[in-house]
Amino acid sequence: MITTVLRQALRARGREPAVLCHTGADTRADLAGLPTAPGDVLLDLDAQPLGRPILDGTAEEPVAGLVAVVAATTTDLHRVLTSAVHLPRAVHVVVALVATPGHQEPPLPVGPGMGQWRDLQELRLRRVDSRGWICELFFPNAIESASVLDAVFQGTRGRRRGPAVAPLVALNGHEAALWRPGDTGANGVPDEGPVPLRRVTPVADLALRVHDSERPSAWTDEAVPALDRTTTGTDSWDELIGPTGYARAADRPVDPVQRIAPVDESTVNPTGFGKAENGPLGHLTLHGDRAVIREGKKNLVTVAPDGTITDVDLSRLRRLRGIRVDWSGPTGPHAAVRAVAGLAAGGVPLVSGPVPAWAAGLGTELTRLLTAATEADLSDRLSREEHSVRLRRAALYTHGLRSRWRALAAEAGVPVPPAPRVSVILCTRRPDMVGFALAQIARQRGVEPETVLTLHGFPASLPEVRSAIDAYRATGLPLVVHEAPADRVFGAVLNDSVARASGDLIAKWDDDDWYGPEHLADLVLARTYSGAELVGTGQDFVFLQEIDLMVWRSRESETSTRFIAGGTILTDRVVLEETGGFRPLPRAIDTQLLIAVTRGGGRVHRTHGLGYVLRRTGGGHTWSEDMAYFLHNYARQWSGWRPSSLLEGEPAPLGSEADTGQPVGAAQHTGGHP
């Protein structure tokens, strides 16, 4: 169908030239044999250098009758948006996605907000086979092609773009798009500079040059700093030196991690993770001259020469229980590290023998985790998922696009905006649970939360409450204490708490549940890669306190959903404003918020539930399911306290006699949800 659509578009394009582009594996064949004319351009966007125009001519803004891009996957389309800034304006734009993973939305574009699409004449969106899409747009007057491609990509993620990548950059080199996928605001620059000006202001705060030589040209721009990196094919085996396995670049040492092009977490992430502990084991190895992932004698994925793992690659691997990494096979250090980092970021459980020194670019934590699990661990559903979560954390923190650019900015001395601040909303009617709940918040890692503690119907002057508050403030974490009257309805109390918070993100916290130390960090990470308006976890682990029983429900995770645990909600302050906040009701507050988000066109994403334990007692819960519901609806159960290892035990309640740093037994706690 793709070839048929392109043939028809070429016949209807008029006298203007056509620009036919491809990106990703095996997409050039879709452009073969088309009825092109003199002046038409056939272009591999993956090899397009930044800063080089695509159509030559005298016109300041060349116009094409047709711009078509055939992308193997959504990951490939997102990468070449950076190169697409050089595509000419066009009246007819065709975007073909050969394959997409099942969890993605259709690429239904939403026009930009400055009226550029008011004259749009026609929009066609059609499936290609069962997994691909073709999107055609017709305009009466030529429009920027890159903005159209960007709108098509964003359609696969819903309405939110996610956090921006800072700082603004200028790029040089044909592999530069690997370092900044999806950035239609990037500018190409000559190898030696300078960065162009927009009036009197440089268009970028930092330049990155990606080249084939360890000794690039001298940089001439004194106002904008430049960093140098080499292409993925430059690091041949015989050039590796030193204990880390990396040579020196530009006469100065560079952290091996920062030499690796980042993973695009917008498309390469754990979304779609499956519980396939009974599936076969794959192998990342060498077959012929290409790195492949094999199941027996069958190639499931052929890894791109630059090591890129795509969203479609991950979907093909979800039925595997894991992959063993064969370090003797990959084509080069940079590509091998990128492939392994991409698989880990996608949540694929990996095992490995000793990691060679030349793979130091993986980073210390990811290297450790690769050898920490065995194939037997991957055959146990809980151990497999725990290993996957640890791998994805390490890979996304170390190699994620936003993490990498914050590190590059620090290397160049370019300041970037601070990370979004999380405000935790803790509302309780029980003085005896304040110390327990604050202890759970105080041990959070990866974020520095602000806590808004709302005492619903009792004062902060109670001895057990005052001692817990004092102990929490001694940690140095910010705390706002609010006393709400007992007769104020619960939903209104939550809105009062939000009004007193100063953070960009709002996290809801229950006073009697257990939270792992990376609970908040995992939610912030899921918000980044999912693009969802609201994120949370499932109620996977439930402790039935009356009968001293732990139940593991093992629900689907890393997916869009209509239901998450209310005590794990994290959303943007602006989303609460858009949905009207919490409804002024005494119960079902969380469910009503989820309904409001989805009704408004937003998405709810459920990440893993291994770092959270829901407590169930005899009564007093806002969720009305009784104990029998959990006893007939589980994957595994244990007598006594048995959470996931990701919970990392439990801290002693703050301000109590047990506040000694030693764990307190789960059965000692009493009480239910407010």
Side-chain angles (χ1 to χ4, degrees):
M1 179 184 286
I2 294 176
T3 301
T4 301
V5 170
L6 293 178
R7 284 180 179 274
Q8 294 171 348
L10 284 168
R11 292 191 185 104
R13 50 72 183 266
R15 297 182 178 180
E16 294 86 359
V19 179
L20 308 175
C21 311
H22 62 94
T23 174
D26 303 323
T27 50
R28 183 182 177 89
D30 292 295
L31 305 181
L34 293 174
T36 56
D40 291 347
V41 176
L42 183 65
L43 182 66
D44 179 0
L45 277 177
D46 294 323
Q48 173 65 22
L50 272 293
R52 180 181 299 174
I54 292 173
L55 280 185
D56 296 326
T58 58
E60 294 184 4
E61 289 188 272
V63 174
L66 169 68
V67 167
V69 175
V70 180
T73 69
T74 318
T75 300
D76 297 308
L77 176 62
H78 195 227
R79 179 180 64 254
V80 299
L81 291 183
T82 308
S83 304
V85 297
H86 297 305
L87 290 172
R89 297 165 65 87
V91 295
H92 186 185
V93 180
V94 177
V95 184
L97 286 167
V98 177
T100 59
H103 63 261
Q104 278 186 352
E105 299 293 322
L108 186 63
V110 177
M114 297 296 290
Q116 298 97 315
W117 287 18
R118 288 175 186 155
D119 295 329
L120 175 67
Q121 289 183 319
E122 188 175 354
L123 168 64
R124 299 174 186 169
L125 181 63
R126 289 172 281 183
R127 280 196 179 274
V128 177
D129 300 324
S130 60
R131 302 182 65 192
W133 294 93
I134 293 180
C135 186
E136 284 189 271
L137 299 98
F138 301 84
F139 299 88
N141 299 300
I143 192 170
E144 290 182 0
S145 302
S147 67
V148 177
L149 268 61
D150 184 44
V152 172
F153 169 78
Q154 293 302 330
T156 67
R157 287 176 54 81
R159 64 180 185 176
R160 290 178 68 85
R161 290 179 171 267
V165 181
L168 289 174
V169 297
L171 301 170
N172 174 266
H174 73 271
E175 277 195 3
L178 287 179
W179 290 81
R180 196 74 172 203
D183 189 355
T184 57
N187 287 266
V189 292
D191 183 56
E192 69 281 354
V195 171
L197 298 179
R198 182 174 289 117
R199 295 185 179 178
V200 296
T201 305
V203 298
D205 302 312
L206 174 62
L208 180 74
R209 302 188 294 177
V210 184
H211 41 77
D212 297 325
S213 171
E214 289 283 357
R215 298 187 179 277
S217 304
W219 180 250
T220 60
D221 194 324
E222 297 181 357
V224 179
L227 296 177
D228 292 295
R229 295 296 185 266
T230 55
T231 56
T232 54
T234 303
D235 51 358
S236 61
W237 300 109
D238 56 0
E239 292 176 350
L240 301 178
I241 61 173
T244 65
Y246 273 93
R248 295 167 66 90
D251 296 324
R252 61 173 179 169
V254 176
D255 180 355
V257 170
Q258 305 310 321
R259 291 177 61 108
I260 305 299
V263 172
D264 180 7
E265 68 262 37
S266 297
T267 61
V268 180
N269 58 60
T271 303
F273 176 78
K275 302 180 185 295
E277 74 277 9
N278 295 321
L281 184 72
H283 290 79
L284 174 60
T285 186
L286 194 68
H287 184 64
D289 61 349
R290 297 292 297 274
V292 296
I293 298 172
R294 308 196 83 191
E295 176 198 343
K297 296 182 179 181
K298 179 182 179 182
N299 289 348
L300 300 180
V301 169
T302 300
V303 180
D306 59 21
T308 295
I309 297 294
T310 72
D311 48 355
V312 173
D313 293 338
L314 292 174
S315 69
R316 291 170 179 159
L317 303 174
R318 292 302 184 196
R319 63 183 183 83
L320 301 178
R321 73 176 185 272
I323 293 175
R324 174 166 286 281
V325 180
D326 176 10
W327 291 105
S328 65
T331 56
H334 194 137
V337 168
R338 287 199 76 229
V340 172
L343 292 169
V348 178
L350 304 175
V351 293
S352 166
V355 178
W358 55 258
L362 284 170
T364 303
E365 180 63 10
L366 189 52
T367 299
R368 182 188 70 80
L369 290 171
L370 285 172
T371 59
T374 65
E375 292 183 17
D377 293 323
L378 304 189
S379 297
D380 177 86
R381 176 177 288 197
L382 179 56
S383 297
R384 176 181 179 271
E385 188 169 358
E386 289 171 338
H387 182 53
S388 168
V389 171
R390 292 186 177 103
L391 284 171
R392 69 184 73 158
R393 284 172 177 169
L396 290 169
Y397 287 142
T398 306
H399 295 282
L401 180 65
R402 290 159 181 83
S403 297
R404 176 70 82 253
W405 276 97
R406 294 185 80 87
L408 292 174
E411 180 183 336
V414 176
V416 294
R421 188 178 185 185
V422 180
S423 289
V424 176
I425 304 303
L426 170 60
C427 179
T428 178
R429 285 187 177 273
R430 295 174 292 209
D432 58 309
M433 297 305 295
V434 173
F436 171 81
L438 289 178
Q440 303 286 327
I441 301 172
R443 71 168 181 158
Q444 294 299 297
R445 296 194 297 258
V447 297
E448 295 184 3
E450 171 198 54
T451 300
V452 178
L453 171 63
T454 298
L455 309 175
H456 195 181
F458 60 92
S461 58
L462 293 177
E464 66 270 37
V465 177
R466 174 53 55 195
S467 61
I469 290 173
D470 290 343
Y472 186 85
R473 283 181 168 149
T475 67
L477 294 171
L479 176 67
V480 177
V481 179
H482 167 52
E483 297 179 8
D487 60 353
R488 187 156 176 79
V489 69
F490 181 46
V493 171
L494 288 176
N495 287 327
D496 295 341
S497 301
V498 173
R500 288 165 170 79
S502 63
D504 309 287
L505 309 179
I506 304 296
K508 188 169 175 289
W509 203 275
D510 282 352
D511 64 353
D512 61 343
D513 294 336
W514 290 270
Y515 299 82
E518 294 196 50
H519 168 75
L520 287 177
D522 284 345
L523 293 181
V524 173
L525 198 60
R527 168 184 174 267
T528 299
Y529 61 71
S530 71
E533 278 75 6
L534 187 149
V535 297
T537 79
Q539 293 165 326
D540 285 17
F541 277 87
V542 181
F543 185 62
L544 304 175
Q545 188 164 298
E546 282 190 313
I547 58 176
D548 195 27
L549 187 73
M550 182 72 79
V551 172
W552 181 42
R553 305 171 69 212
S554 187
R555 290 295 183 259
E556 183 183 12
S557 65
E558 302 299 347
T559 183
S560 295
T561 183
R562 292 184 179 274
F563 183 77
I564 59 171
T568 68
I569 287 173
L570 181 136
T571 190
D572 293 44
R573 178 186 290 276
V574 68
V575 172
L576 289 175
E577 180 182 356
E578 291 172 350
T579 55
F582 295 97
R583 287 188 63 187
L585 299 171
R587 60 179 63 247
I589 311 301
D590 307 322
T591 301
Q592 292 298 311
L593 178 61
L594 299 178
I595 291 173
V597 169
T598 55
R599 183 186 295 128
R603 287 188 299 131
V604 176
H605 183 88
R606 183 167 63 216
T607 187
H608 75 88
L610 303 185
Y612 169 72
V613 178
L614 172 73
R615 185 202 303 261
R616 297 294 293 191
T617 56
H621 297 280
T622 57
W623 187 25
S624 59
E625 298 290 354
D626 60 20
M627 191 176 297
Y629 173 82
F630 301 101
L631 291 175
H632 292 89
N633 197 7
Y634 65 88
R636 198 177 298 180
Q637 65 178 25
W638 302 270
S639 178
W641 176 247
R642 173 59 171 82
S644 162
S645 62
L646 296 184
L647 196 75
E648 299 186 25
E650 96 176 276
L654 293 179
S656 69
E657 294 181 359
D659 185 9
T660 61
Q662 299 299 317
V664 177
Q668 298 180 28
H669 299 302
T670 60
H673 287 291

